[in-house]
Structure formats: structure tokens, C-alpha cells
Amino acid sequence: MAIDTSKVATSNSSAATPAKPGRAGAVATWADERLGLAGMAKKNLRKVFPDHWSFMLGEIALWSFVVLLLSGVFLTLWFTPSMSEIHYEGSYDQMRGIAMSEAMASTLGISFDVRGGLLMRQMHHWAAMLFIASMMIHLLRVFFTGAHRKPRELNWVIGSLLLLLGTLEGFTGYSLPDDLLSGTGVRAADGFMKSIPVVGSYMSFFLFGGEFPGDSIIPRLYIIHVLLIPGLLLALIAAHMLLLVYHKHTQWPGPGRTEENVVGFPMLPVYAAKAGGFFFIVFGVTALMGGLMQINPIWLYGPYDPSKVTAGSQPDWYMGWPDGALRIMPGWETHLFGNFTIAWNVFLPIIVLPGLMFTILMLLPFLEAWITGDKREHHLLQRPRNAPTRTALMVALMTFYGLLWMAGGNDIIAIKLNSSINTITYMLRFLVFVGPIIAFVITRRWCISLQRHDNEKLLHGYETGIIMRSPEGGYSEKHLPINPSAAYVLSARERDEVYTVEQETDENGIPAPASRAKALRAKLSTLWFADNVQAPTAAEIEAAHHHADHEHELQAALDGHAADGHQFDGHHSVEGDPLRGSDQH
């Protein structure tokens, strides 16, 4: 094979001459000299990401949002956000000639007259469901594993805002077709706003451009849905990802993993290939759902008519919990000054409760840090059992959410179970207060029991199922040590440190009384860590292993020899070896 030696140095005194860069290289050099892109790209493209299935939950939310953007752009090409009344003359016979808004007619046109339109509509709707569901599960994973702790509190707040905005985006989206079901939801939203004391009627008037329903709500919801909230979502997702890169990814404890490093695969080529493949999986599953699973068949509901209400109407699942709170709330009202009414039965469950729940959600990392006094940075995750109170707190909130979500279908439950809707409503009123407390107690005790089990396994090994009998006649189960990797995972947790009030003294040496805030913080810290089982010390592990080695030496003499009742354990020959003391007949 011929070798091109034109670019090779011919002597020790003359250097090789590089070829002149091409146009692409020249442009890249020009940009790098002014923007410094090469160094930044080299650093970030080789950034290491840990590998664990639970980290994919956040990616499902990200790729679902991408599917939403792609399918949403397609739908905007044919959707008409207008409330002007026309007579439908499309291909769906049952609706032909019926008066409806242009928004409803264009949605029917997308569903029946645009090639692939119904598929894209249903993909868009299913992607919205997946987007919110995956954000919720991702949020739970982050909280249960302690990934919300310093320095990621701000990212937790951003994630909570993404969940809130995603919920509002979904509501504005399924309100756009102007069918009877979505119109009932918009009618309910009008009532929700009007329940706000003093300013509620003004807010409704400005949003609807007059009295409900007006002719402006669909165009305004359209702008909110395709421009305002997506812009905020894009900005928050970008900030979320930038903070993820800046703080580096959390990882599970394991050999070689510390608070100072990240063990995993680089962005290029491994992680980028995995992420790209996972996008196509999410896209493919969403496409299958859109093609095979019907959702929001507006042609069955018909156009919106303010004089009609859809029987058994329910919002999308992520709006079910405030709807459930509304259904089980007693009909409380306050009448002031003769003609001013405060509708507590609407204002509290729909306006106050969601605001309170999202506020609590965003404050959780800060409340935990204040109670525990933990100001350290954490990059290693915790197993949920190793933070019993935190885990139990979230399970209590999940129980509260689930019961309200169940209440959103109290009428359906009553029909399916042939029960009284009043009885179900009264039971749910009781359970939303008692259920979270029961769930908290059970979960906390469960986690503490699992902590004890882990310590027993770490100190004494795992249960083999082999029962040994001592010469004295006592029975014990044989334990064997767990492998080093499993032992590392069980032992790689910090011991809890309860916050205590440091007494300050004045110039006379008299202790100053602790402030109420510090005293409360100390009491809450004690309750937070109460009954937790601490990880064994190195000395305790060493002593347990020494004792286990001694037991193994004693048991080694019995290995291979059958004892009473052990002839049939599968490891010994039973021929000619009857049980001692048994009758030979």
C-alpha cells in the first residue's frame, strides 16, 4: 500500500506541515476563538452519568414533553381557536348541520378529515397524561431517596413548579375543543374563580371578557396553552437540566462511590445513545396508546351548551383530587352584610387546598433541613427505609391525595358497588383525616423494622434455612455472611444526629433560656429520629464477624454428618441410617 509522505517531516530540523483547514473547520475555529465552545463542549460531552433504572423516570417526563411539542405543532396547523358559531358540514354524519363553535368544528375536522389527525390528537392527550404522571413519580423517587437535600433544594422547587404548570397546561388543553365535557370544566372554573372573596367576580369578568361564557375564553386559553405556559415550561426545564449538570447527578451508594465522585458512563457516546433510544421507546409507546386506546371522543359529547351538563362528568385524572375535595366538602357558606356570600364549600377545597398542598410540597426540603439541622451537601442517595419519618410523611401525603382522588369518583363508586353515595361521602370525609395518620404510623414502623432486619443481616449474615442442633439439644439456624458489595450498601449510611439546643450563658454564668423556635426545633428533631435504628459501628461489625467465625468453626464439625431429623435434608445418604429411637416396623 502506498503511503503519502508529503506531510511527513523529512529531517529532525524541519516540522511537518499541517493541511489547510476546511471551511467547516475554519468556521468552528472562528466560533471557538470568540465563544470558547470547544473547552465547554469537551467538558460537558464527557460528563459522567450514573446508571440506574429509577433515573429514567425523569427522562420519561422529558421525552413526553418533547412528544407534546411535536404533536402540538401538528395540531396548531388545523385547529381554529374561535368561538364563532357555524354549522358543522364535515364528514361525521351524526354532527352534520348542528350549530357549534369553530373550535369544536376544527377539532372534529382534525379527528375525521385530516390524515393522521386523530392519531396525533390522541398521542397529544396521552403524552400529557404521561408527562404529569412521570413528573409525579419522579418527584416521589427524588423525595424518598433524599435527592432533594442540599444543594438541590432549588431544583426541587423548580420541579414542583413544573408539576403545577403541567397540570394547568393540561386543563387549558382539554378545554380547547369546546365540547360539552370540556365546557362543563370551564363552567366549573368560572365558579371556582367567583368563590374567591372580593376579587373573584372581577377575575372571572376579565378572563372571560364579560359574563360567562362570552366569546373570548377559547382564544385566550389557546394563547395560554400554546405560548405562555409552554414558554415557562421550557425555561424551567432548561434551568432544571442546567442545575442537574452543575450539581452533578446523585448516585446510589456502592463500592468506589463517594460524595466527591460520580461512577457511571460518559455523555458521549454511551449515555447519549441510551437517552436517544429511550426517547424512541417513549415515542413508540405513546404512538401505540394514541393508535389503540381511545381518549376524549368529543363527537360523543357534542358541542357545549350552557344549559346542559354532562351526566357523570369528570376531569382528567390529575385534576381528580381537587374535584374530590369539592365533592366531600360540606356545604358551608357565610353571609355578610345581607348580600355578600363567602362560599367556603368551593373556596376551601379548590382555591385554598391546592395552594396549601403545593406550598407544603415546595417547602419540604427546607423544613427537613431546619428540623434535622443538616447543612451538609449530599450526593449519595438514601434507601427510603433509612429515613423512616421522611418516608412516612410522603406516604401520608400520598394517602391524603389518593383518598381525595377516590372521592372524585364517589358517584361512580356508588353505582358500581350499589351503595349509598351519602355513606361513601361521609366515610371519605372521615378517612381523609384518619387515613394519612394510619399510613404514617404503619410506614414508619415498617421502615424501622426493615432497618433492624438490615442490621441483623449485616452483623450475623443471611438466613440459609438450615437448622442446626447442638449437642445440648438446642436448635439454631445457620447463617452465612453476605457478599462485600451488599454489606457495603447496608453499611453506607450516616448515623443520625439529633439537634440539641446549646445553652448560652450571660456574664454571670447563668444559662439563657432557649428561644421557643430552638426548643421547638429540638423537639421536632427528636421526634424525627425517634426509634431509628442506627447503622452498626465498625467495632460492632468486627465483633459480630468474630462471633460468627467461632460459630462456623463449631458447626464445621457437623457438616457432612446426619443428625436426628436431618437425614432427609437432601445432603446426606439415608440408606441404612434410620432415626434413632424409632420403631423398626
Side-chain angles (χ1 to χ4, degrees):
M1 183 177 82
I3 300 176
D4 182 9
T5 59
S6 60
K7 300 182 180 61
V8 180
T10 57
S11 67
N12 292 336
S13 59
S14 61
T17 57
K20 185 178 181 180
R23 292 184 178 180
V27 172
T29 302
W30 182 90
D32 182 52
E33 290 174 349
R34 289 155 180 80
L35 302 175
L37 298 176
M40 182 172 60
K42 180 179 179 180
K43 177 182 177 181
N44 289 290
L45 292 179
R46 298 299 296 172
K47 187 173 181 63
V48 174
F49 287 86
D51 190 35
H52 193 269
W53 68 266
S54 63
F55 300 150
M56 295 294 180
L57 297 172
E59 287 195 42
I60 295 177
L62 176 62
W63 301 136
S64 297
F65 183 70
V66 173
V67 175
L68 280 169
L69 292 178
L70 296 175
S71 57
V73 169
F74 178 92
L75 296 176
T76 57
L77 300 177
W78 284 276
F79 180 72
T80 305
S82 172
M83 298 183 71
S84 300
E85 186 174 291
I86 63 172
H87 287 82
Y88 176 71
E89 297 296 339
S91 59
Y92 188 66
D93 290 340
Q94 287 85 339
M95 290 286 177
R96 191 169 296 154
I98 295 178
M100 61 182 64
S101 67
E102 288 190 80
M104 174 74 177
S106 64
T107 308
L108 288 173
I110 293 173
S111 302
F112 296 109
D113 300 316
V114 175
R115 188 181 296 275
L118 182 58
L119 173 65
M120 299 305 292
R121 261 198 69 223
Q122 298 200 147
M123 282 185 63
H124 191 72
H125 207 131
W126 280 120
M129 300 286 198
L130 290 175
F131 179 55
I132 299 174
S134 56
M135 280 197 293
M136 283 188 176
I137 300 175
H138 175 61
L139 179 144
L140 293 176
R141 196 280 301 175
V142 168
F143 189 80
F144 280 134
T145 60
H148 62 289
R149 296 174 294 171
K150 184 181 179 180
R152 297 174 180 83
E153 302 97 331
L154 184 58
N155 228 6
W156 171 269
V157 173
I158 292 174
S160 302
L161 291 175
L162 283 170
L163 179 59
L164 175 60
L165 289 173
T167 302
L168 295 176
E169 176 77 342
F171 173 77
T172 59
Y174 73 67
S175 299
L176 290 178
D178 200 29
D179 60 286
L180 185 56
L181 181 60
S182 66
T184 302
V186 176
R187 167 82 265 191
D190 173 58
F192 300 157
M193 282 185 288
K194 288 179 177 176
S195 72
I196 302 175
V198 183
V199 300
S201 58
Y202 297 98
M203 293 175 61
S204 172
F205 187 86
F206 291 139
L207 180 62
F208 286 89
E211 292 296 330
F212 178 88
D215 57 3
S216 302
I217 186 61
I218 296 299
R220 291 179 179 182
L221 287 179
Y222 179 76
I223 294 300
I224 293 172
H225 183 73
V226 304
L227 183 62
L228 179 59
I229 297 182
L232 293 174
L233 286 172
L234 280 171
L236 289 175
I237 290 174
H240 197 72
M241 301 302 294
L242 286 174
L243 285 176
L244 171 67
V245 172
Y246 176 73
H247 290 144
K248 73 183 182 181
H249 208 294
T250 54
Q251 59 185 347
W252 289 99
R257 300 173 184 176
T258 69
E259 297 281 5
E260 307 298 329
N261 68 355
V262 178
V263 177
F265 299 99
M267 171 68 81
L268 281 180
V270 179
Y271 191 78
K274 286 188 174 185
F278 196 57
F279 163 71
F280 287 107
I281 292 175
V282 173
F283 187 92
V285 171
T286 308
L288 285 175
M289 295 173 71
L292 302 177
M293 302 167 66
Q294 179 175 275
I295 189 170
N296 197 25
I298 60 168
W299 52 90
L300 299 182
Y301 310 138
Y304 179 62
D305 184 344
S307 65
K308 300 175 183 177
V309 176
T310 307
S313 61
Q314 291 175 309
D316 277 352
W317 70 268
Y318 46 85
M319 296 295 292
W321 67 279
D323 184 56
L326 179 68
R327 294 188 182 206
I328 65 174
M329 180 70 187
W332 295 344
E333 291 182 351
T334 300
H335 302 279
L336 302 174
F337 314 115
N339 59 356
F340 185 80
T341 302
I342 300 178
W344 300 111
N345 56 329
V346 179
F347 177 63
L348 290 180
I350 295 296
I351 305 300
V352 175
L353 180 62
L356 180 63
M357 289 289 286
F358 273 101
T359 301
I360 292 174
L361 188 67
M362 286 187 281
L363 291 179
L364 282 176
F366 307 99
L367 291 174
E368 180 181 342
W370 182 77
I371 291 172
T372 61
D374 188 0
K375 304 298 181 183
R376 298 166 296 178
E377 289 195 1
H378 296 278
H379 303 289
L380 289 178
L381 298 174
Q382 287 181 304
R383 302 171 79 195
R385 66 185 64 180
N386 293 331
T389 303
R390 178 207 299 152
T391 301
L393 178 61
M394 181 54 75
V395 171
L397 292 174
M398 291 168 59
T399 304
F400 182 73
Y401 175 93
L403 288 169
L404 290 180
W405 190 74
M406 183 191 301
N410 60 349
D411 54 341
I412 306 298
I413 295 174
I415 293 172
K416 296 298 182 181
L417 298 182
N418 195 24
S419 302
S420 168
I421 190 172
N422 292 329
T423 301
I424 293 173
T425 300
Y426 285 124
M427 283 297 298
L428 288 169
R429 287 177 181 174
F430 173 76
L431 288 175
V432 291
F433 291 102
V434 178
I437 298 174
I438 297 175
F440 179 89
V441 173
I442 292 176
T443 304
R444 194 170 183 279
R445 298 310 306 176
W446 195 349
C447 289
I448 292 172
S449 298
L450 290 173
Q451 284 184 324
R452 292 197 183 102
H453 177 71
D454 286 347
N455 279 7
E456 288 294 320
K457 187 185 294 186
L458 187 61
L459 293 173
H460 305 297
Y462 68 93
E463 301 171 350
T464 62
I466 301 174
I467 305 300
M468 307 296 295
R469 184 179 182 186
S470 67
E472 293 79 14
Y475 289 93
S476 63
E477 185 174 11
K478 185 175 183 179
H479 288 69
L480 291 177
I482 59 178
N483 63 69
S485 297
Y488 186 95
V489 172
L490 295 181
S491 60
R493 61 186 179 99
E494 301 166 342
R495 298 176 69 86
D496 300 326
E497 296 180 8
V498 180
Y499 172 81
T500 56
V501 179
E502 296 181 2
Q503 291 284 352
E504 299 179 358
T505 58
D506 57 17
E507 62 274 10
N508 298 320
I510 300 176
S515 66
R516 292 184 178 181
K518 289 183 178 180
L520 175 62
R521 181 181 178 186
K523 183 176 293 187
L524 290 175
S525 181
T526 302
L527 293 174
W528 188 273
F529 295 118
D531 301 324
N532 284 16
V533 180
Q534 304 302 319
T537 62
E540 292 172 339
I541 295 176
E542 181 64 27
H545 287 179
H546 178 73
H547 179 71
D549 292 340
H550 179 65
E551 283 190 350
H552 294 158
E553 291 176 2
L554 295 177
Q555 294 172 355
L558 300 176
D559 288 343
H561 300 280
D564 275 358
H566 290 207
Q567 287 92 333
F568 306 97
D569 61 359
H571 299 286
H572 306 97
S573 174
V574 298
E575 295 182 3
D577 189 11
L579 291 175
R580 289 191 294 273
S582 62
D583 295 332
Q584 304 295 322
H585 56 70

